[in-house]
Amino acid sequence: MSFVVIEGGEGVGKGTLMEGLKHHFEDAVFTREPGGTPMAEEIRDCNLRPRQESVAPDTELLLMFAARAQHLAQRIRPALNQGQLVISDRFTDSSYAYQGVARGLGAEKVELLEQFVQGDLRPDLVVVLDLDPLEGQSRIRDRAEGLDRLDAETLQFHQAVRQAFLSRAERFPDRYFVVDAAQSPDRVLEQVIGVIEGLS
Ligand code: TMP
């Protein structure tokens, strides 16, 4: 019935939060972007894998939206139509922050694709986990799976991503909830559960 998105930079604790939410909202549909269907996961791998060839920012953006179109058609819209609560680890705000701002493509291209791929569909709530990227980077340094193409970007890139999420939250205060991700995982979880429960 509601579409909730969890956003934030690298190492802010989205994974831990998603696990906590899974225990609390047992009947909800949990998914992630880019990905969420077998084909969208293939597009994710193609887009995020480190490679020798340099990737044009437009290519990166289009692949994010190609994965999103598939995810919406196969997973998100059907679940919402059945009245389910859908909780996605990232969605279009990441395209605004990473491609629009940090890659410098500008908001207009993202808006164009958002309209094309989503029509009128927008999340009911976007939770932004906010953390200093220096702290985030130190949290992900030891990750077993290694860094993807975007994790490996500069600190300046990740600072731009953080500011982009915060300015979208300021611009649309009714739909956004910013959480201080430097707090303990339990405190973060408690606050996010509270705001999701407040939706219905
Ligand atoms: P994550 O699952 O570890 O958060 O990794 C996904 C990466 O993809 C992360 O670096 C953010 C990036 N991303 C974009 O750049 N644009 C997008 O639209 C989405 C959904 C993710």
Side-chain angles (χ1 to χ4, degrees):
M1 195 205 343
S2 296
F3 181 25
V4 175
V5 173
I6 311 294
E7 293 281 10
E10 322 297 328
V12 295
K14 284 186 296 101
T16 308
L17 173 63
M18 288 292 281
E19 284 311 310
L21 294 174
K22 275 180 199 165
H23 281 107
H24 190 84
F25 298 102
E26 287 180 347
D27 297 331
V29 171
F30 287 87
T31 189
R32 71 165 182 181
E33 288 224 342
T37 82
M39 183 179 176
E41 291 288 334
E42 281 183 42
I43 299 171
R44 173 193 176 99
D45 179 56
C46 171
N47 203 6
L48 297 184
R49 189 177 348 119
R51 56 177 77 236
Q52 293 294 319
E53 180 178 348
S54 96
V55 178
D58 281 346
T59 309
E60 187 175 280
L61 178 67
L62 287 165
L63 286 175
M64 293 299 175
F65 272 95
R68 184 160 300 136
Q70 187 65 12
H71 190 203
L72 279 164
Q74 295 297 312
R75 192 108 194 263
I76 296 178
R77 285 192 192 278
L80 291 174
N81 289 341
Q82 284 177 5
Q84 285 179 288
L85 168 65
V86 176
I87 303 182
S88 183
D89 177 343
R90 297 194 184 280
F91 194 63
T92 302
D93 281 275
S94 281
S95 303
Y96 278 105
Y98 285 80
Q99 284 71 49
V101 175
R103 284 280 187 242
L105 284 178
E108 294 74 16
K109 283 186 177 175
V110 185
E111 271 162 12
L112 200 77
L113 290 167
E114 180 181 47
Q115 196 54 41
F116 173 53
V117 167
Q118 294 168 222
D120 290 338
L121 183 75
R122 299 290 180 275
D124 299 293
L125 170 70
V126 180
V127 173
V128 176
L129 298 188
D130 182 53
L131 186 69
D132 182 340
L134 258 185
E135 169 67 17
Q137 285 192 338
S138 83
R139 288 188 189 175
I140 62 170
R141 207 160 288 144
D142 304 323
R143 256 187 206 172
E145 64 266 34
L147 299 185
D148 68 34
R149 225 164 39 74
L150 286 147
D151 293 334
E153 276 293 342
T154 60
L155 184 61
Q156 194 189 8
F157 181 93
H158 291 290
Q159 273 157 349
V161 167
R162 180 192 195 188
Q163 287 313 316
F165 282 130
L166 292 176
S167 47
R168 282 188 62 81
E170 245 173 59
R171 203 169 138 204
F172 306 106
D174 296 347
R175 280 198 293 132
Y176 286 70
F177 180 69
V178 179
V179 186
D180 175 6
Q183 300 175 99
S184 74
D186 284 351
R187 276 289 296 144
V188 171
L189 177 63
E190 193 185 313
Q191 288 169 49
V192 175
I193 287 173
V195 72
I196 294 175
E197 283 180 342
L199 281 176
S200 45

